[in-house]
Amino acid sequence: MGISMAICELDCKDSLCKIGKETVIKARIPSVSGYEQYADYDEVVAMSDAKKVFSADLEQFLKKNRLDGEKESFLLSKLKNPDDAEKLQPYAKKSYTGWVNLGELSADVKAKIIAEAGPDNLMTEWDTIPLTETNEICSKCPMSWDKGRGCIGAFGPDSSLLPSIAEKNGCTLVANVMKYAESGEKLTPQDAEKLSAECKILREKLVDEGKAMARRYSGVVDRLETMADLCAKTGTRFYFI
């Protein structure tokens, strides 16, 4: 299993993704009762209704729209033929997805829905930006510490020997990377200062471990130090996953 190192990018006001990631535009809740006018829905047509409307040429209808006649229902939006969709529109029923659009709701109601949804059922403005655009934004972000590739970088496999080398040399933070990855603990800017100091020690000690170890882990130590210096400078937390 691979271990990564990352910063809590939203801790810093200079993160270019901060506003987008903190602007929640949709939330998914168990029941949209009371919020129907703001809720997303699919239009579903019962196959029994379709068979009534197209009783004369049912096989052609199914074939043309690539539908399975044994299914109980289908989405109106999936129909290939716009004329068929128009004929079935009166039979379409709303099937709510659970997603509620928050844009027109008051701050209090919005906060209530977000709390009910929980962090795993939220959609932000950042989620709506295409990957190519987010990559471009990340490349320009001052918090993109991994050579413009983003704010997450590779530490290495969970079999890495770097933690044991660190433990041998009193570098307790690097020695406990696997423990931090397992717990998901967020480490402080003060820890970042300590990490930066440990990296300077490890860079020298790797030479004593031999050329192979130095080649294998010097890049990791460089990434750790770059991340640590940024976090210490900007007051940003970091973690391992």
Side-chain angles (χ1 to χ4, degrees):
M1 182 181 71
I3 304 296
S4 297
M5 57 185 97
I7 67 171
C8 297
E9 71 280 8
L10 301 186
D11 284 358
C12 182
K13 61 180 177 60
D14 294 328
S15 294
L16 297 184
C17 64
K18 182 176 176 66
I19 293 177
K21 287 183 176 179
E22 291 184 338
T23 304
V24 181
I25 58 175
K26 287 185 181 183
R28 186 170 58 190
I29 53 179
S31 171
V32 300
S33 178
Y35 307 111
E36 287 89 348
Q37 70 183 101
Y38 309 107
D40 289 346
Y41 60 86
D42 293 318
E43 291 185 298
V44 179
V45 177
M47 186 61 73
S48 57
D49 288 329
K51 289 178 178 179
K52 292 175 184 176
V53 173
F54 295 99
S55 57
D57 53 357
L58 180 61
E59 289 304 319
Q60 183 181 357
F61 164 76
L62 294 174
K63 183 177 181 180
K64 182 169 46 177
N65 292 288
R66 300 178 185 174
L67 295 175
D68 180 355
E70 299 302 316
K71 298 285 187 180
E72 292 186 1
S73 61
F74 56 88
L75 296 179
L76 186 66
S77 61
K78 294 296 184 181
L79 294 184
K80 310 294 182 184
N81 188 293
D83 291 335
D84 292 346
E86 184 177 352
K87 291 177 182 177
L88 289 173
Q89 181 66 62
Y91 299 89
K93 303 290 192 302
K94 292 181 179 180
S95 176
Y96 291 100
T97 65
W99 287 100
V100 177
N101 296 284
L102 305 178
E104 298 180 14
L105 297 172
S106 68
D108 289 346
V109 174
K110 186 184 299 185
K112 177 183 176 184
I113 292 176
I114 289 174
E116 183 180 353
D120 294 331
N121 292 298
L122 303 178
M123 181 183 293
T124 67
E125 283 186 352
W126 183 258
D127 295 324
T128 67
I129 302 175
L131 183 60
T132 53
E133 292 183 30
T134 60
N135 288 340
E136 184 177 350
I137 293 170
C138 287
S139 69
K140 299 175 182 177
C141 182
M143 301 303 288
S144 181
W145 60 266
D146 191 18
K147 298 180 180 179
R149 291 188 291 259
C151 51
I152 299 177
F155 175 82
D158 56 7
S159 59
S160 171
L161 297 178
L162 187 58
S164 62
I165 296 172
E167 184 176 16
K168 183 168 62 175
N169 290 285
C171 299
T172 56
L173 200 150
V174 176
N176 287 301
V177 163
M178 302 308 171
K179 182 189 75 174
Y180 294 135
E182 185 176 344
S183 68
E185 179 181 350
K186 303 298 189 293
L187 299 163
T188 68
Q190 291 71 37
D191 291 322
E193 293 178 3
K194 179 181 177 183
L195 175 59
S196 181
E198 288 187 3
C199 288
K200 293 173 176 60
I201 295 171
L202 286 172
R203 188 172 288 109
E204 294 182 2
K205 296 301 181 180
L206 281 175
V207 176
D208 298 336
E209 295 289 331
K211 291 183 179 179
M213 289 298 183
R215 282 196 301 268
R216 183 182 301 176
Y217 296 121
S218 60
V220 180
V221 172
D222 288 345
R223 288 195 294 276
L224 283 167
E225 186 176 33
T226 299
M227 180 185 72
D229 288 344
L230 177 66
C231 289
K233 178 182 177 181
T234 60
T236 303
R237 294 170 298 161
F238 64 101
Y239 59 100
F240 297 89
I241 50 176

